[in-house]
């Protein structure tokens, strides 16, 4: 699970009746598509490239076992076969228009011991006293809702917020030390990453748990205060502000986001993405984080947006394989861009209106 999304993001969804107003600009449609084959750009995507990611997360109860077996039997690299499969085995459900942000797997420098810096940045593992509760197990009306806290006097109470944890208010063990507090903060937003140690070796960290506090985008706070023009808020502009502000002001701002992510060390091949909430490695530009109260994990999703750097249309099949603390709403989504400098740039800049269509199994 990647508890983040882009720090400036605000989950906003508008009614699906506005589909064509946006799609006319992006896809030149005359009316909202009713079938999978009518999706804007459907014939252009290399669907065979999305098939491995779909198969990786295709399993009951998310999707029927016979459907998954049929997908695994499709010939690799055959776009026509993959297209027929999705067209005949799925029914289209329009989720509406919403905000699409981006995330990536960051790489930062760190060490196994506390560095001799004025502002050390510990990367902590899951604390023993943290309790996570799936409220859907108690009521169908609360399906998809979760809370976290700790037990005091026989009652579940909220877990300490970011400032309290950083001040030592949690027994969470320190796994590694990051060289830079801002890099640590963004690692927590992204939910997973790679830490390069002084000897050149790399440790992979994945999401273990969160403290259950509401996510507060610090980019929004900076915009509200006039520190950064709202239209210019991005990961890059926020990092620049944190550097200019100095350690004390930077930490004070980051502490205004009470959400806190704990990590676990994980082994993974260098070419493999981090593991998302569905328990499978994320695939660059084929995996998205969604609000699973509206879109079940494992579902194929068609997105219509534009590239945040080039501005060219992005119309492609992606898979709902992750969740995020800021991802709330029927058409709210977060696109995984991968790792490296290009992924970092695109993810940091992505803040696009997008049309979202869910492919439901017949």
């Amino acid at each position: 699970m990647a508890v983040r999304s882009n720090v400036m993001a605000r989950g906003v969804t508008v009614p699906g009746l506005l589909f064509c107003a946006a799609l006319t600009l992006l896809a030149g449609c005359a009316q909202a598509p009713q079938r999978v084959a009518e999706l804007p750009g459907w014939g252009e995507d290399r669907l065979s490239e999305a098939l491995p990611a779909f198969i990786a997360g295709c399993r009951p109860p998310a999707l029927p076992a016979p459907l998954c077996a049929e997908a695994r039997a499709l010939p690799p690299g055959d776009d026509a076969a993959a297209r027929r499969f999705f067209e005949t085995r799925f029914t289209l459900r329009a989720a509406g228009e919403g905000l699409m942000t981006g995330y990536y797997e960051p790489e930062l420098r760190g060490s196994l011991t506390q560095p001799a810096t004025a502002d050390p940045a510990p990367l902590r593992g899951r604390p023993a006293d943290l309790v996570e509760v799936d409220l859907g197990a108690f009521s169908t009306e609360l399906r998809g809702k979760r809370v976290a806290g700790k037990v005091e006097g026989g009652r579940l109470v909220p877990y300490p917020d970011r400032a309290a944890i950083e001040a030592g208010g949690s027994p969470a063990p320190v796994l590694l030390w990051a060289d830079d507090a801002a890099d640590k903060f963004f690692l927590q937003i992204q939910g997973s990453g790679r830490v390069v140690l002084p000897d050149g070796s790399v440790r992979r960290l994945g999401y273990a748990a969160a403290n259950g506090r509401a996510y507060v985008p610090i980019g929004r706070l900076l915009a509200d205060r006039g520190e950064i023009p709202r239209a210019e808020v991005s990961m890059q502009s926020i990092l620049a502000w944190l550097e200019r502000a100095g350690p004390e002001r930077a930490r004070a701002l980051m502490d205004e986001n009470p959400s806190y992510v704990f990590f676990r060390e994980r082994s993974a091949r260098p070419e493999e993405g981090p593991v998302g909430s569905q328990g499978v490695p994320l695939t660059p530009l084929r995996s998205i984080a969604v609000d699973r109260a509206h879109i079940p994990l494992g579902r194929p999703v068609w997105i219509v947006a534009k590239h945040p750097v080039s501005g060219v249309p992005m119309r492609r099949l992606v898979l709902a394989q992750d969740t995020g603390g800021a991802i709330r709403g029927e058409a709210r989504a977060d696109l995984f861009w991968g790792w490296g400098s290009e992924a970092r740039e695109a993810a940091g800049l992505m803040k696009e209106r997008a049309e979202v269509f869910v492919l439901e199994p017949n």
Side-chain angles (χ1 to χ4, degrees), residues 2-360:
V3 175
R4 32 96 270 287
S5 173
N6 203 303
V7 291
M8 76 295 291
R10 304 174 81 172
V12 181
T13 304
V14 298
L17 292 177
L18 298 179
F19 285 174
C20 272
L23 286 176
T24 297
L25 299 176
L26 293 171
C29 75
Q31 60 182 6
Q34 303 298 313
R35 300 183 299 115
V36 173
E38 297 173 355
L39 285 166
W42 177 251
E44 303 166 8
D45 191 21
R46 294 294 306 275
L47 294 180
S48 64
E49 295 179 357
L51 198 59
F54 171 77
I55 293 172
C58 191
R59 58 195 178 209
L63 293 163
L67 182 73
C68 300
E70 183 177 346
R72 286 191 290 270
L74 291 172
D78 190 331
D79 287 321
R83 206 174 311 282
R84 286 193 299 272
F85 170 74
F86 288 111
E87 288 176 357
T88 59
R89 296 293 182 260
F90 291 86
T91 300
L92 194 63
R93 174 172 69 85
E97 178 187 314
L99 177 67
M100 177 166 288
T101 49
Y103 66 113
Y104 71 108
E105 185 181 23
E107 182 176 277
L108 61 157
R109 297 203 166 271
S111 59
L112 297 176
T113 58
Q114 182 172 345
T117 62
D119 194 28
L123 300 168
R124 303 178 188 274
R126 180 186 177 120
D129 61 345
L130 178 67
V131 177
E132 294 181 294
V133 181
D134 179 1
L135 297 178
F138 297 88
S139 170
T140 56
E141 295 179 355
L142 297 175
R143 185 173 294 132
K145 304 291 185 181
R146 304 175 69 88
V147 296
K150 64 178 182 177
V151 177
E152 288 185 351
R155 298 172 64 87
L156 184 68
V157 299
Y159 205 78
D161 62 12
R162 172 179 296 275
I165 294 172
E166 295 288 43
S170 168
V174 176
L175 303 178
L176 297 167
W177 294 86
D179 287 356
D180 185 83
D183 285 346
K184 167 193 168 175
F185 183 82
F186 276 86
L187 178 66
Q188 291 183 302
I189 291 173
Q190 302 302 316
S192 61
R194 309 171 187 220
V195 181
V196 181
L197 301 181
D199 63 0
S201 62
V202 177
R203 298 290 183 93
R204 299 286 292 274
L205 294 181
Y207 173 90
N211 64 345
R213 298 280 185 160
Y215 173 82
V216 175
I218 63 171
R220 185 181 68 195
L221 298 180
L222 290 172
D224 290 345
R225 295 164 187 171
E227 297 281 354
I228 301 177
R230 195 170 303 276
E232 297 177 13
V233 173
S234 68
M235 181 182 68
Q236 290 84 345
S237 65
I238 295 170
L239 280 170
W241 187 93
L242 292 172
E243 184 175 358
R244 292 194 306 270
E248 187 173 337
R249 289 185 68 204
R251 179 172 291 281
L253 176 67
M254 291 185 285
D255 282 348
E256 290 191 68
N257 171 26
S259 176
Y260 196 93
V261 170
F262 303 101
F263 297 103
R264 62 181 177 86
E265 289 199 59
R266 59 179 296 267
S267 59
R269 297 188 300 271
E271 73 278 8
E272 187 177 81
V275 174
S277 299
Q278 200 188 9
V280 300
L282 302 177
T283 301
L285 294 174
R286 293 295 181 183
S287 297
I288 60 169
V290 298
D291 184 345
R292 58 182 166 190
H294 299 283
I295 302 178
L297 293 179
R299 287 289 192 275
V301 177
W302 187 257
I303 59 171
V304 179
K306 65 178 181 179
H307 196 286
V309 178
S310 67
V312 301
M314 291 185 66
R315 302 182 294 193
R316 58 175 39 232
L317 188 70
V318 296
L319 290 310
Q321 296 180 324
D322 207 0
T323 57
I327 313 304
R328 294 291 181 266
E330 188 173 3
R332 178 72 170 89
D334 207 19
L335 179 63
F336 177 66
W337 284 85
W339 48 90
S341 58
E342 291 184 5
R344 176 188 172 111
E345 180 186 14
L349 294 174
M350 190 165 197
K351 188 172 57 173
E352 306 291 340
R353 304 303 302 177
E355 293 293 330
V356 177
F357 301 88
V358 183
L359 278 62
E360 300 285 1

